[in-house]
Amino acid sequence: QVQLVESGGGLVQAGGSLRLSCAASGTKVVENTVAWYRQAPGSPREFVALIAIAGPIQYADGVRGRFTISRDAAKNTVSLQMNSLKEEDTAIYYCNAFRLNFDIWGQGTQVTVST
């Protein structure tokens, strides 16, 4: 069973924080690049952040400085700490793990930021 499961989404107020988790089973997060994407209604899916196998991290311009991606090898999870949330952050957030000849996605978790 190879699976990614996102959790931690919910309804938060603008300016608030939320921490998302991507739990992997059947594969190790440290053996894959793990990325977060999001998709708002009527908008294309967009890249948010990633952590590469060796550890380097990348962020989309719109979230850099507010979001932090991290991984916990012992828990086999990758998290996305989201601070200073904005209305524009409202979306379904997906995690994605990939390497050569391997690519899996989670089911998504809804994040709604209210104003």
Side-chain angles (χ1 to χ4, degrees), residues 6-7 12-13 25 33 35 40 42 45 50 55 57 61 65-67 69 82 94 101 105-107 110 112 114:
E6 301 96 333
S7 62
V12 298
Q13 297 178 1
S25 59
T33 297
R45 181 181 61 188
L50 69 78
I57 289 169
D61 289 346
R66 299 188 298 120
F67 290 11
I69 188 171
M82 305 185 295
Y94 299 91
N101 298 317
W105 291 81
Q107 83 290 344
Q110 175 70 233
T112 303
S114 64

Side-chain angles (χ1 to χ4, degrees), residues 47-50 57-65 67-70 80:
F47 168 78
V48 176
L50 69 78
I57 289 169
Q58 298 177 20
Y59 295 102
D61 289 346
V63 307
R64 188 178 295 107
F67 290 11
T68 303
I69 188 171
S70 62
L80 185 70

Side-chain angles (χ1 to χ4, degrees), residues 74-114:
K75 295 180 179 179
N76 202 28
T77 61
V78 170
S79 295
L80 185 70
Q81 177 68 45
M82 305 185 295
N83 298 327
S84 302
L85 283 162
K86 305 174 180 180
E87 183 180 11
E88 307 91 87
D89 296 319
T90 294
I92 300 174
Y93 284 71
Y94 299 91
C95 65
N96 165 230
F98 64 94
R99 60 180 189 266
L100 185 63
N101 298 317
F102 185 84
D103 185 19
I104 58 172
W105 291 81
Q107 83 290 344
T109 186
Q110 175 70 233
V111 171
T112 303
V113 183
S114 64

Side-chain angles (χ1 to χ4, degrees), residues 21 31 34 37 79 90 102:
S21 178
E31 295 179 355
V34 180
Y37 288 80
S79 295
T90 294
F102 185 84

